[in-house]
Amino acid sequence: MVVGVCRVSLMIDSSHSLKEKRMVLRRLKDKVSNKFNCAIAEVGDQDLWQSSEIGFAVVSNEFKFTQTMVQKICDYIEEIAEAKVTGDERDFLHYGEEINPT
């Protein structure tokens, strides 16, 4: 089993309150989870108006598939333009007996 996790840093220039920020994040999270069926949540900068970090996770039995899905989700977050992506951090965790990253 391979778990792909990613933390995405976002800048929400149009936000002038925490309420506006939460509305943008809710739309973004809903679109991503509906399209890719992945776990996604706000994981950082929760008290800042124009900055946020979201995290998501993908699980599969193949490293290549997990890696591809993480990339597709990151691309989609940039594509829907709810917020500007300022960076991302990815990690892949292998569980079980078969550890083959190819």
Side-chain angles (χ1 to χ4, degrees), residues 59-100:
V59 179
S60 81
N61 60 348
E62 295 179 22
F63 175 77
K64 204 77 150 160
F65 178 79
T66 304
Q67 191 177 34
T68 302
M69 288 307 296
V70 168
Q71 182 62 48
K72 283 183 179 181
I73 294 169
C74 286
D75 292 344
Y76 183 70
I77 290 170
E78 285 193 58
E79 179 184 309
I80 58 177
E82 293 283 343
K84 181 181 177 186
V85 175
T86 59
D88 66 67
E89 189 176 332
R90 303 171 193 193
D91 198 9
F92 299 92
L93 310 167
H94 300 268
Y95 290 99
E97 296 176 16
E98 194 174 321
I99 300 177
N100 186 3

Side-chain angles (χ1 to χ4, degrees), residues 2-101:
V2 181
V3 180
V5 294
C6 183
R7 180 172 52 193
V8 181
S9 300
L10 302 169
M11 182 61 63
I12 309 167
D13 292 328
S14 62
S15 174
H16 296 89
S17 69
L18 288 176
K19 186 176 182 179
E20 289 178 9
K21 173 187 169 180
R22 299 275 187 266
M23 287 173 38
V24 169
L25 290 177
R26 186 176 305 117
R27 282 193 308 266
L28 188 144
K29 292 186 305 182
D30 287 347
K31 287 178 182 180
V32 171
S33 65
N34 287 338
K35 184 168 177 84
F36 294 100
N37 193 23
C38 66
I40 186 168
E42 183 179 11
V43 295
D45 293 344
Q46 291 154 329
D47 293 331
L48 301 176
W49 291 1
Q50 296 184 326
S51 178
S52 183
E53 289 185 345
I54 58 170
F56 64 86
V58 176
V59 179
S60 81
N61 60 348
E62 295 179 22
F63 175 77
K64 204 77 150 160
F65 178 79
T66 304
Q67 191 177 34
T68 302
M69 288 307 296
V70 168
Q71 182 62 48
K72 283 183 179 181
I73 294 169
C74 286
D75 292 344
Y76 183 70
I77 290 170
E78 285 193 58
E79 179 184 309
I80 58 177
E82 293 283 343
K84 181 181 177 186
V85 175
T86 59
D88 66 67
E89 189 176 332
R90 303 171 193 193
D91 198 9
F92 299 92
L93 310 167
H94 300 268
Y95 290 99
E97 296 176 16
E98 194 174 321
I99 300 177
N100 186 3

